[in-house]
Every structure is written in C-alpha cells, then in structure tokens.
Amino acid sequence: MRAVRRSIVLAMIAGLSITGWQPAMATETADCAWTATDLPLPPGHTGGHVRGSRDSNSVVGAGFHNGYTGIVWRNGSPIALPKWPDRNSENYPNDISASGLVAGHRSTYTPTSYLDEPYVIGGDYTSYRWLPTPAGVSARPVAMNDRGEIVGYSGESGAAHQILLWKQLGGHWTRKSLGPGNPVGIDEAGRVATDDGRIISPDGSTRYLEHVPGMDHPVVVSYENERVAGYRALENGAISAIWDATGKLVSSSDQDFLFARAANTKGTVLGTTLRARLETAVWRPGQPVQTVADPRPEFASLNLWYGTITEDEKIIATYETTEGDNQPAVWSCE
C-alpha cells in the first residue's frame, strides 16, 4: 500500500554497507537490465506524474490538461477522473486500494488563498465523496490500506499539521485526530508511520523507530510493503535505514551519500546516488548497486513526485522525456 511523504532527497554517492550483508561497490554490471513501460495518458494530456500505487496494476497520478486532473491506471489502462467546472481547482489522487477506491484531494486556488479538500472515489469513477474535515481548514489524504482506512493531515502550509484518520462506518466517513505530525503511510493493521520516526498503533500507543548510531533525527520518507525508509544527512555523508512495521531495524547504510527511498520485504531498496550526476539506484542483499537510467526515474528530483519498489520487484515512478514532458511509467528488471 502506498505510503509516502514527499521529500527532497539530497545528492548521494554509491558506497554502501548494510547491516547483515556486504554488497559489492556500485557497478554498471548486473544480472538484469531495467526497462520502462509507459503508463499511457488519457487523450488531451500533455504530461503527468505518478502519486501513489498499490502495485504495478493499480496506480494513481495527475496529468496536465488545462490544469492538473486525476488519473487512475488499472492494469495499465488510464481512466480520467471527472473534472470540476471551477477552473481554479486541480485534482491530485494520492493512493488506491485493492478494491480500486481512490483517495485524493482537490486544491482550489484564488489570488489570496487556497483550500485542499479530501475526497474518495471508486466504482465507475464518476462521483466523488468528500471526507469530513475541520471547517475551513485544508486537509489531504496521504495513504490508505485495503480496509479502507485513510491517513492524512490537516493544516495550512508552514503551520503545524494534525494527523487525521478517516474510516467508513455505517455508510458514513468518520474523522479522528491522532495528534500533531505528518504521516507517511498506514499498513493493513492500521499502524501509521510519521516522518519524525514514530509508529502509532490503532490503540493509540506510540513507539519510535530503533535508533541507528549517528542517526539521531531521521527523516522518514516512506512506509509501504511494511517497510519504513529514512535517512539522515551528515556534513560529509549520510546514513540511510530500513525498519519493519514494528520499528525494528532491518538494514542501514553509513557510507557516503546513498539514501534509501523505499524498500520491499525481499530486501530490495530503491534510492538515489551521486556519481558524475544524480542517479537512481537499486540495491539488493549480496548484489552490486545498480543504476536505473534511459529513462531514469525522477522521483528524487522534485518533492511532489512519487517513487517506489513493489513486492514483485518493479519500480513505479515518473521520468522526463526528451521533449521535456513528464511521463509515468513502470520499470522491470529483465
């Protein structure tokens, strides 16, 4: 289940040591080559980017067509979500469940203000349902699980956010505050991970991610596949780490500038590294670090873009075409 907070990832270099295993140094050689398959855009769209996914067959994003509009890809085929008549409103789907339910938000801009309104849409994707929010306060869904629980936040840009949990009870959506913070995801057990390294359980209890030496204040980037990915930038390097759903450390890297972005339960990690230029990288236990290029997933370049590695070893992200447009895609290593 998609669970990611947008975060600008710094420059990285490809030296690596992982707790429990020692991969070779970064190299161009690999047992497979990464190839991208475009997720087609609906007619009239001039570009788009991925914003969330359940797996490579269920993806959501936004495309540009006189403003940003919502797109759902089911088994690789695009479905354009209904547009609003207000030309100042844009549509940003953020996640999708196994049943195809989509959670997103409408952003409405005026010369002096903006408002984010959270919604869900499913079935034949023709009708939105608005999620309850504090009156007049912006709110955005971040992630959802297959039980239909949605985690997000409320609050204005630059102000302290409140974590919100939406559930459907008796045909109605309810809202509960989990306290201050920024959520990065929710798992099937209802546990919520936050960008400051907390895991909030459904009973309200909180635990912190296991401490990594030298990583006092990790920036948690994503929580999906029951794997939390985070990093800490240092003056002369960086530390990255992967934790499980209980907060236990699974692996960590402490050499130079290699940051983890997402991981799966097989031990595959997606991240970014820096050689002559910023590059996307994948590393696995006991194998060389691979770079992914031509085209390169651009999830690390902008803080609004999404990138993940699925349980079946596929990358879901966005790349820039030679014409300068943004193209959603799925990468496979074959």
Side-chain angles (χ1 to χ4, degrees):
M1 191 51 50
R2 204 273 310 171
V4 69
R5 175 171 172 78
R6 323 307 185 200
S7 177
I8 299 176
V9 180
L10 305 177
M12 309 149 203
I13 193 167
L16 178 68
S17 66
I18 297 292
T19 302
W21 55 276
Q22 296 292 329
M25 295 299 290
T27 177
E28 295 297 337
T29 61
D31 293 334
C32 62
W34 288 96
T35 58
T37 300
D38 289 351
L39 292 172
L41 297 170
H45 289 69
T46 57
H49 60 273
V50 174
R51 298 184 60 85
S53 67
R54 183 184 186 274
D55 52 37
S56 59
N57 293 317
S58 298
V59 182
V60 294
F64 195 81
H65 185 209
N66 297 321
Y68 279 107
T69 64
I71 304 173
V72 178
W73 289 273
R74 298 286 275 175
N75 299 314
S77 297
I79 302 170
L81 296 182
K83 297 186 67 174
W84 293 290
D86 184 353
R87 294 180 61 87
N88 294 324
S89 292
E90 297 187 320
N91 193 344
Y92 297 101
N94 294 325
D95 204 3
I96 184 170
S97 71
S99 67
L101 185 68
V102 173
H105 67 277
R106 176 173 70 176
S107 291
T108 302
Y109 301 86
T110 72
T112 59
S113 65
Y114 78 92
L115 181 67
D116 292 330
E117 301 168 278
Y119 68 77
V120 292
I121 187 171
D124 57 3
Y125 299 114
T126 59
S127 178
Y128 296 98
R129 293 189 63 182
W130 301 105
L131 298 174
T133 62
V137 176
S138 288
R140 296 185 179 190
V142 170
M144 67 190 304
N145 60 26
D146 287 341
R147 300 192 303 180
E149 297 171 317
I150 302 170
V151 68
Y153 63 88
S154 64
E156 307 304 326
S157 177
H161 291 165
Q162 290 288 317
I163 301 173
L164 299 180
L165 180 68
W166 289 279
K167 294 183 179 182
Q168 192 172 24
L169 297 174
H172 299 281
W173 285 94
T174 64
R175 183 192 79 235
K176 177 182 179 181
S177 175
L178 302 183
N182 293 299
V184 298
I186 185 170
D187 63 21
E188 295 307 312
R191 292 170 294 210
V192 173
T194 65
D195 68 350
D196 60 356
R198 292 176 290 149
I199 295 180
I200 304 172
S201 296
D203 63 5
S205 62
T206 300
R207 69 177 66 190
Y208 284 85
L209 300 176
E210 182 179 344
H211 180 257
V212 179
M215 198 179 188
D216 294 334
H217 301 287
V219 176
V220 176
V221 182
S222 69
Y223 179 40
E224 44 193 332
N225 307 315
E226 296 196 348
R227 290 293 181 265
V228 178
Y231 64 85
R232 177 67 177 173
L234 306 176
E235 183 176 355
N236 296 309
I239 300 176
S240 294
I242 305 297
W243 296 266
D244 67 15
T246 69
K248 182 180 179 181
L249 181 67
V250 175
S251 64
S252 65
S253 63
D254 58 6
Q255 293 184 20
D256 304 309
F257 287 101
L258 193 148
F259 291 6
R261 176 74 177 193
N264 62 28
T265 59
K266 296 179 180 179
T268 305
V269 184
L270 175 68
T272 308
T273 186
L274 180 66
R275 295 178 182 176
R277 65 183 187 276
L278 190 68
E279 295 179 298
T280 298
V282 172
W283 57 97
R284 303 180 179 90
Q287 297 184 24
V289 176
Q290 292 178 264
T291 56
V292 185
D294 300 324
R296 178 173 75 88
E298 296 278 358
F299 60 83
S301 300
L302 296 175
N303 66 343
L304 292 179
W305 287 9
Y306 166 86
T308 194
I309 185 82
T310 66
E311 284 292 277
D312 60 352
E313 305 281 88
K314 294 182 179 179
I315 297 172
I316 304 172
T318 304
Y319 71 89
E320 185 176 345
T321 69
T322 55
E323 292 78 21
D325 294 325
N326 303 323
Q327 176 62 53
V330 176
W331 283 255
S332 301
C333 202
E334 300 172 348

